Amino acid sequence: MELAAGTAYADAFVATLHGTAALPIAALGTAPLPCLLVRNHTRQPEPEPQPVRTTAEAAAS
């Protein structure tokens, strides 16, 4: 098997490098998506505030 010489070979090589470089870039770009989709969006209810006793109320009881 004989390889093509000249610019055709160089152009094919560069095109292959571009295609190969696109795969990890696409993987890095889409990697956070499953994390965002799986994340639990439920919120915990906030505890109700307790009434604050004044010093006079505390001394009276």
Side-chain angles (χ1 to χ4, degrees), residues 1-2 6-10 15-16 18 20 23-24 27-28 30 43 50 53 56 58:
M1 184 166 130
E2 192 174 321
T7 59
Y9 179 74
T16 303
H18 287 150
T20 305
L23 292 174
L28 287 173
T30 58
R43 288 187 164 196
Q50 299 295 323
R53 295 176 63 183

